[in-house]
Amino acid sequence: MLTKRMLRRKLRVLFMGFAIPALIVVSLSGCATDGINNGHRSNNQKVETYGHDGYMGYSNSNPNLPNNLTFLNYDSDRKFIGQVLQPIDGIKDSRVSFNGGNLNVHITADSKLTNEQIQALEAKAQKAVQFNMPRYHVKVTASR
């Protein structure tokens, strides 16, 4: 049978077995800091962080990157098609309409052109727009 003295001794050993490791863990956890206080290191150097440049998970500072969801839109595509058609001689005016993946371009040709020249102009515009807008199914029509 256990005496009172032996029971106390066992409880004391059991308590020490739990208390000492707990005290060691608590005292060592204070050593885990690296000296950063309020954005400054202990040697008075300012802590450098990544800017909001879109690289390290922050916001995107360049909205014209092709991976941005707002980069590809109908308004910018319409302006670009106007720039593509501008150097082609014989086009007075153009209208652009979108229907999902379909792109319809109607060009108004110069009234001095013949029917064959209008067909050649239509083919040239078709080729230029299709080359520059590969994500659309392009259809170009021409009239006077």
Side-chain angles (χ1 to χ4, degrees):
M1 195 114 169
L2 291 174
T3 63
K4 228 179 194 183
R5 190 174 187 184
M6 289 173 63
L7 187 60
R8 268 194 213 148
R9 188 175 290 162
K10 284 188 179 190
L11 287 175
R12 190 177 302 145
V13 169
L14 186 64
F15 175 74
M16 291 298 191
F18 286 116
I20 291 176
L23 288 173
I24 291 172
V25 168
V26 169
S27 65
L28 290 179
S29 67
C31 298
T33 63
D34 62 352
I36 297 175
N37 295 321
N38 295 330
H40 290 82
R41 292 192 182 270
S42 59
N43 58 0
N44 294 330
Q45 289 181 340
K46 177 80 173 138
V47 176
E48 298 291 327
T49 61
Y50 291 103
H52 296 285
D53 62 353
Y55 181 65
M56 297 297 289
Y58 292 102
S59 65
N60 190 355
S61 63
N62 188 355
N64 292 325
L65 288 175
N67 63 352
N68 191 337
L69 295 176
T70 61
F71 176 73
L72 302 174
N73 59 45
Y74 291 139
D75 191 40
S76 63
D77 288 347
R78 184 176 286 115
K79 289 177 185 175
F80 183 64
I81 292 167
Q83 292 173 355
V84 167
L85 294 175
Q86 186 177 14
I88 299 175
D89 291 332
I91 297 177
K92 286 188 353 184
D93 192 23
S94 64
R95 287 178 292 160
V96 179
S97 64
F98 299 94
N99 187 5
N102 297 323
L103 169 62
N104 298 313
V105 180
H106 180 79
I107 56 175
T108 304
D110 193 4
S111 60
K112 298 174 186 172
L113 297 178
T114 65
N115 288 341
E116 292 80 22
Q117 289 173 329
I118 291 176
Q119 287 177 350
L121 180 66
E122 186 177 307
K124 188 175 183 180
Q126 170 79 31
K127 186 176 179 182
V129 174
Q130 185 64 62
F131 178 78
N132 286 288
M133 305 300 276
R135 65 182 173 276
Y136 293 109
H137 299 286
V138 178
K139 182 172 193 290
V140 177
T141 56
S143 67
R144 287 194 185 112

